[in-house]
């Protein structure tokens, strides 16, 4: 499925050590395997079940937040803990954004807001964290009448309509702009960054503002040393 294609491009263990944490409360302390919850969420993403995956990422984040509260603030925090929380937040954000856009949830995503506010040091080129932040920007800056949906906006469907010339004729220029804009998001999620940039460039050449915005965001995600950026 569409989600299968992009889920495999999300790195599950970048610079973080997500493992078993002990959470203390009034009850006896309990050890919870956060890594197992994250893995289960990732597996559900690969099966196209983002709604259920979101629940596992939410639970994993809850454990990490609880553990973080128990860390002595005088220790200056825990680098591995921060990295784990940032990675889980990234997966949580992506699992939410690929679902239908209810109440502006794509543009107004609390997980990405938290990443940008509290975990900006982890927004590095081509990381899961940067991927989720870039994704939110790509969907946020789509024209208001363009609706990207992780279920319906597969590359196959968008390309089929883009190249159609049936009884109703080819897509109108306005519809072609919409299709190319949606393809930018889809290709980005699939990890096909060359095609994502190509579609953004076509929009840019056609003086579509979204094309320029998308190019800038994807280039920032790639980083200045990436071959695609150097070629450009």
């Amino acid at each position: 499925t569409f989600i299968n294609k992009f889920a495999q491009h999300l790195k599950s263990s970048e610079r973080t050590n997500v493992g078993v944490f002990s959470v203390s409360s009034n009850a006896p302390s309990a050890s919870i395997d956060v890594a197992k919850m994250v893995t289960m969420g990732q597996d559900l993403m690969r099966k196209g079940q983002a709604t259920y995956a979101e629940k596992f990422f939410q639970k994993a984040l809850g454990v990490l937040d609880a553990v973080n509260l128990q860390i002595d603030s005088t220790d200056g925090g825990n680098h591995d803990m921060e990295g784990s929380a940032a990675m889980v937040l990234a997966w949580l954000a992506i699992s939410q954004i690929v679902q239908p856009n209810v109440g502006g949830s794509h543009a107004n995503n609390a997980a990405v807001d938290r990443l940008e506010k509290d975990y900006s040091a982890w927004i590095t080129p081509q990381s899961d964290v940067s991927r989720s932040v870039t994704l939110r920007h790509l969907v946020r800056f789509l024209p208001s009448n363009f609706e990207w949906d992780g279920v319906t906006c597969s590359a196959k469907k968008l390309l089929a309509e883009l190249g159609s010339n049936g009884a109703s004729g080819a897509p109108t220029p306005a519809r072609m702009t919409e299709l190319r804009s949606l393809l930018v998001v889809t290709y980005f999620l699939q990890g096909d960054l060359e095609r994502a940039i190509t579609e953004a460039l076509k929009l840019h050449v056609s003086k579509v503002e979204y094309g320029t915005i998308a190019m800038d965001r994807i280039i920032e995600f790639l980083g200045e040393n990436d071959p695609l950026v150097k070629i450009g």
Side-chain angles (χ1 to χ4, degrees):
T1 66
F2 163 60
I3 292 180
N4 288 349
K5 290 183 179 179
F6 84 76
Q8 61 186 307
H9 292 283
L10 301 178
K11 304 167 189 174
S12 61
S13 57
E14 308 179 315
R15 305 181 308 281
T16 61
N17 295 311
V18 183
V20 178
F21 295 97
S22 294
V23 183
S24 298
S25 62
N26 293 330
S29 63
S31 294
I32 302 177
D33 192 339
V34 176
K36 185 175 181 179
M37 285 189 284
V38 172
T39 298
M40 291 177 72
Q42 292 169 336
D43 288 342
L44 287 166
M45 288 286 286
R46 295 185 181 96
K47 295 175 182 177
Q49 299 178 27
T51 302
Y52 295 106
E54 178 186 357
K55 298 181 187 301
F56 281 95
F57 298 136
Q58 287 277 21
K59 186 175 181 181
L61 182 63
V63 173
L64 291 174
D65 284 344
V67 173
N68 193 46
L69 288 173
Q70 298 174 21
I71 295 176
D72 187 348
S73 60
T74 61
D75 292 338
N78 184 300
H79 186 72
D80 286 342
M81 182 69 68
E82 287 184 1
S84 297
M87 187 270 285
V88 173
L89 275 166
W91 277 90
L92 173 61
I94 293 171
S95 71
Q96 293 170 336
I97 294 173
V98 299
Q99 295 178 52
N101 186 24
V102 178
S105 59
H106 287 178
N108 304 307
N109 186 277
V112 176
D113 287 342
R114 185 175 168 189
L115 284 171
E116 293 183 319
K117 179 178 181 293
D118 300 329
Y119 298 92
S120 59
W122 295 89
I123 304 176
T124 56
Q126 301 190 41
S127 66
D128 283 356
V129 177
S130 181
R131 191 184 307 274
S132 65
V133 171
T134 302
L135 172 61
R136 199 267 287 270
H137 285 306
L138 290 178
V139 296
R140 166 181 275 180
F141 290 106
L142 279 169
S144 58
N145 58 319
F146 293 2
E147 190 66 39
W148 185 88
D149 187 306
V151 176
T152 62
C153 290
S154 70
K156 182 178 180 180
K157 291 180 180 178
L158 295 173
L159 289 170
E161 184 176 350
L162 194 61
S164 66
N165 192 20
S168 59
T172 63
R175 179 57 177 164
M176 290 184 72
T177 295
E178 180 176 3
L179 291 169
R180 291 198 186 284
S181 299
L182 298 176
L183 270 172
V184 170
V185 181
T186 296
Y187 280 140
F188 176 78
L189 275 170
Q190 290 184 354
D192 197 339
L193 302 180
E194 185 172 358
R195 283 194 171 95
I197 290 178
T198 298
E199 294 300 334
L201 179 60
K202 290 176 182 177
L203 293 168
H204 171 73
V205 170
S206 299
K207 302 188 184 306
V208 176
E209 183 181 12
Y210 179 72
T212 306
I213 294 172
M215 282 184 61
D216 290 343
R217 293 297 179 181
I218 296 172
I219 288 172
E220 183 178 352
F221 167 77
L222 287 168
E224 61 182 13
N225 293 322
D226 188 271
L228 281 178
V229 176
K230 291 182 177 180
I231 290 174

